[in-house]
Amino acid sequence: MTDQKVAIVTGSSSGIGYETALLLARNGFRTYATMRNLEKAKAISDVAKRENIPLHIIKLDVTDEKSVNDAIKTIKSDAGRIDVLVNNAGYGLTGSLEDLSMSEIKAQYETNVFGLIRVTQAVLPIMREQKSGIIVNISSIGGKMAMPLSSPYIGTKFAVEGLSESIAYDLEPFGIKVVIIEPGAIKTNFDTGMIIAQKSQNPSSPYYKGMQKLQSSLNSMLKNGTPPAKVAEVILNAITTPNPNLRYTVGEDAALLAQKRKELSDSEFQKLVFEFFK
Ligand SMILES: NC(=O)c1ccc[n+]([C@@H]2O[C@H](COP(=O)([O-])OP(=O)(O)OC[C@H]3O[C@@H](n4cnc5c(N)ncnc54)[C@H](OP(=O)(O)O)[C@@H]3O)[C@@H](O)[C@H]2O)c1
């Protein structure tokens, strides 16, 4: 049992999860940096050793029930409590709905939505018993507005928004808070991890041209994106403030888009998106 606050981050091998796990550990959280592939642990482990910060690496694949339950059990018996859960693991899937296979779509939901639910369900009994805790769900600005040829990814992030907002009501009586993070384009491995529907990569697809344009826009957005350390800062701020907001956008692009989405009608906003991706 530890007096330190205990945090878990999923998908800590790179990007937002990597930076968040390090920042929380640097700020005194006993941090469990979880990842599905321990072969990718060296970079974060080297930094943690060099800085002598309380960071522990544990294997956790959000799509595997046993892996999730084993990891949470290990953390509970090691630390005795869980104060913060950052549900970060996720990836992007692009392609037209017509081109996407059901298995590509199901895999996307399995990680981005069911994975998040699986880890949350494993952690909740512990937080509820403690009568405290905070769950930080990494959504996206794409959880508030759509873009073309990304319907499964957008669908998963809209799902994360809705379920997070709903469980915030369920958990309030037990002293558990929920925070939704909505990043814009962030410079991580998100682009290399992104999956493009098999059929949409074939020049015979009626959506091929649109896909080429989308991928080049996405690549340049991500290349010029906000550093992931900025997302980590917003998360640290949210979990250390007494009364966090339900939602935080991260990045100037996300803030501007959120503002436009509020100000404009649906058709005005759609026009803007059409123009952008033309
Ligand atoms: N980058 C952006 O522009 C952006 C914008 C808005 C929201 N987001 C969201 O931010 C989150 C983190 O993405 P990122 O930008 O930091 O990309 P990233 O660098 O590709 O990191 C994604 C992380 O998720 C992990 N992951 C994927 N599937 C997993 C699974 N089944 N179990 C456990 N871990 C798994 C990856 O592990 P491996 O290394 O093993 O693949 C990696 O650690 C995602 O939820 C993403 O949707 C990103």
Side-chain angles (χ1 to χ4, degrees):
M1 185 77 172
T2 172
D3 289 339
Q4 271 178 320
K5 292 261 186 196
V6 176
I8 302 177
V9 182
T10 66
S12 299
S13 64
S14 72
I16 295 169
Y18 174 94
E19 294 293 345
T20 303
L22 282 174
L23 189 65
L24 299 196
R26 282 176 187 136
N27 280 272
F29 286 83
R30 182 181 178 91
T31 303
Y32 291 87
T34 72
M35 59 190 72
R36 62 177 166 177
N37 180 0
L38 292 180
E39 282 170 17
K40 294 189 178 177
K42 187 169 168 12
I44 199 167
S45 160
D46 285 352
V47 178
K49 272 189 208 135
R50 197 168 59 236
E51 296 184 13
N52 194 22
I53 51 177
L55 185 138
H56 308 264
I57 296 161
I58 289 213
K59 184 177 165 74
L60 189 161
D61 179 339
V62 300
T63 64
D64 177 344
E65 187 131 357
K66 181 164 170 359
S67 163
V68 170
N69 290 337
D70 286 353
I72 302 306
K73 216 169 130 194
T74 303
I75 294 166
K76 170 75 164 98
S77 72
D78 191 39
R81 53 183 301 113
I82 298 172
D83 299 288
V84 180
L85 166 63
V86 182
N87 280 311
N88 164 74
Y91 69 92
L93 170 64
T94 58
S96 75
L97 192 69
E98 190 183 340
D99 280 343
L100 281 151
S101 69
M102 280 310 284
S103 67
E104 287 169 328
I105 297 169
K106 281 183 178 173
Q108 172 78 136
Y109 277 80
E110 194 56 58
T111 298
N112 291 11
V113 181
F114 301 127
L116 175 149
I117 293 173
R118 205 172 275 122
V119 183
T120 305
Q121 284 186 330
V123 165
L124 274 181
I126 299 162
M127 288 186 171
R128 189 172 41 71
E129 210 168 288
Q130 288 167 190
K131 295 193 167 54
S132 69
I134 181 157
I135 296 170
V136 179
N137 288 337
I138 310 301
S139 173
S140 165
I141 196 62
K144 295 305 283 293
M145 62 198 62
M147 56 180 205
L149 296 168
S150 315
S151 56
Y153 181 71
I154 295 290
T156 63
K157 294 302 185 183
F158 269 61
V160 167
E161 293 274 340
L163 90 84
S164 304
E165 192 167 326
S166 180
I167 63 170
Y169 293 112
D170 312 355
L171 301 178
E172 193 275 342
F174 302 104
I176 303 167
K177 292 175 181 136
V178 178
V179 166
I180 305 167
I181 305 289
E182 298 168 338
I186 309 294
K187 198 174 170 182
T188 64
N189 290 347
F190 190 73
D191 49 353
T192 47
M194 188 173 306
I195 295 185
I196 305 170
Q198 279 295 330
K199 282 191 191 164
S200 288
Q201 296 181 47
N202 188 328
S204 70
S205 163
Y207 303 94
Y208 183 74
K209 253 189 168 163
M211 279 301 295
Q212 299 293 101
K213 275 188 206 151
L214 174 85
Q215 286 307 136
S216 93
S217 305
L218 282 181
N219 288 344
S220 86
M221 277 158 64
L222 291 165
K223 209 172 78 202
N224 298 305
T226 304
K230 184 74 209 156
V231 187
E233 273 171 38
V234 171
I235 294 170
L236 177 67
N237 180 43
I239 64 174
T240 51
T241 199
N243 292 306
N245 298 338
L246 177 61
R247 290 185 167 84
Y248 293 86
T249 56
V250 188
E252 283 172 18
D253 54 346
L256 184 69
L257 280 165
Q259 188 197 336
K260 291 276 174 225
R261 192 66 193 94
K262 259 188 202 152
E263 287 168 4
L264 302 178
S265 68
D266 282 350
S267 58
E268 285 167 335
F269 190 78
Q270 279 180 316
K271 229 185 245 167
L272 203 82
V273 176
F274 267 130
E275 277 305 310
F276 185 82
F277 287 103
K278 211 161 69 177

